[in-house]
Amino acid sequence: MISEKEKCRQGKLYDANNDAELIAERQACKALCHEYNHLLPSETKRREDIIVSLFGKSGHNFLIEQPFFCDYGYNIEIGENFYANVNCVILDEAKVKFGDNVFIAPGCGFYTAGHPFDVEQRNRGLEYARPISIGNNVWIGAHVCVLPGVMIGDNCVIGAGSVVNKDIPAGTLAVGNPCRVIRKF
């Protein structure tokens, strides 16, 4: 029998609410996030150590301001010179990959998890997960929401308050709800 975690990895509907393995992994992640969020800002070494242990991959130069929240941690990859301002949320049921020189303004969310339109499936607690990929040299404005399955290309700027529900090509400025390209660089 295929596990719920494997169904998730395969992009199938899965049950994260009643699977002991997934619940335990989320609890362990939340404990590390709690510890991270309650460290003094001056405790930079411990803060870095938590992120390195929590994430699947990290560059050497990064700063993630507190508070920060994620679901599993191990599905997150960050490149070099990564910066996330306060109140960043990454629901990393699937892989979330950030390139080099990515800057994230306050209050942004990256959500790989989604729920089916079918009421019965949704009421049973089923969900799906789609990866998110953010290229190199990307600036994401305040309160941006990036939805499941989105790819943002290299050298992009995403305007504040945008809801990114489809791929954004490299070298563009995109804004709005829904987010759309308004200019190429």
Side-chain angles (χ1 to χ4, degrees), residues 13 20 27 58-59 78 86 93-94 104 126 131 145 149 172 180:
L13 287 177
Q27 290 300 319
S58 65
I78 59 173
V86 298
E93 280 64 21
I104 299 170
L126 296 179
C145 174
T172 59
R180 64 193 179 289

Side-chain angles (χ1 to χ4, degrees), residues 43-96:
E43 294 179 272
T44 55
K45 176 69 170 115
R46 181 65 187 134
R47 288 173 62 188
E48 289 173 3
D49 289 346
I50 289 174
I51 294 299
V52 168
S53 71
L54 189 61
F55 287 6
K57 180 182 174 191
S58 65
H60 298 289
N61 184 28
F62 61 86
L63 177 58
I64 300 171
E65 302 288 3
Q66 300 150 294
F68 167 78
F69 304 95
C70 63
D71 278 345
Y72 295 96
Y74 57 74
N75 285 320
I76 301 170
E77 296 183 4
I78 59 173
E80 290 297 333
N81 304 316
F82 178 85
Y83 177 76
N85 212 318
V86 298
N87 291 315
C88 182
V89 176
I90 303 175
L91 301 187
D92 63 312
E93 280 64 21
K95 177 90 55 197
V96 181

Side-chain angles (χ1 to χ4, degrees), residues 1-180:
M1 178 182 252
I2 187 169
S3 72
E4 297 304 308
K5 187 173 183 176
E6 188 58 32
K7 288 179 191 175
C8 176
R9 287 185 173 154
Q10 293 177 8
K12 298 178 180 177
L13 287 177
Y14 70 102
D15 183 355
N17 298 311
N18 299 297
D19 183 79
E21 178 183 17
L22 292 175
I23 291 168
E25 289 178 353
R26 283 194 309 275
Q27 290 300 319
C29 179
K30 289 179 188 311
L32 282 174
C33 286
H34 179 82
E35 180 182 351
Y36 184 83
N37 291 330
H38 288 85
L39 290 172
L40 292 172
S42 62
E43 294 179 272
T44 55
K45 176 69 170 115
R46 181 65 187 134
R47 288 173 62 188
E48 289 173 3
D49 289 346
I50 289 174
I51 294 299
V52 168
S53 71
L54 189 61
F55 287 6
K57 180 182 174 191
S58 65
H60 298 289
N61 184 28
F62 61 86
L63 177 58
I64 300 171
E65 302 288 3
Q66 300 150 294
F68 167 78
F69 304 95
C70 63
D71 278 345
Y72 295 96
Y74 57 74
N75 285 320
I76 301 170
E77 296 183 4
I78 59 173
E80 290 297 333
N81 304 316
F82 178 85
Y83 177 76
N85 212 318
V86 298
N87 291 315
C88 182
V89 176
I90 303 175
L91 301 187
D92 63 312
E93 280 64 21
K95 177 90 55 197
V96 181
K97 184 176 180 181
F98 298 92
D100 296 335
N101 305 306
V102 172
F103 302 99
I104 299 170
C108 291
F110 302 85
Y111 309 110
T112 66
H115 300 278
F117 290 134
D118 180 89
V119 172
E120 290 179 22
Q121 290 176 328
R122 191 170 58 245
N123 288 344
R124 288 193 343 238
L126 296 179
E127 62 183 60
Y128 61 86
R130 304 285 184 270
I132 292 172
S133 178
I134 311 296
N136 297 314
N137 309 308
V138 173
W139 173 26
I140 298 176
H143 300 283
V144 167
C145 174
V146 180
L147 297 178
V150 166
M151 293 176 54
I152 298 174
D154 293 343
N155 308 312
C156 285
V157 175
I158 307 298
S162 295
V163 177
V164 188
N165 64 349
K166 63 181 178 179
D167 293 352
I168 303 296
T172 59
L173 168 64
V175 301
N177 181 4
C179 190
R180 64 193 179 289

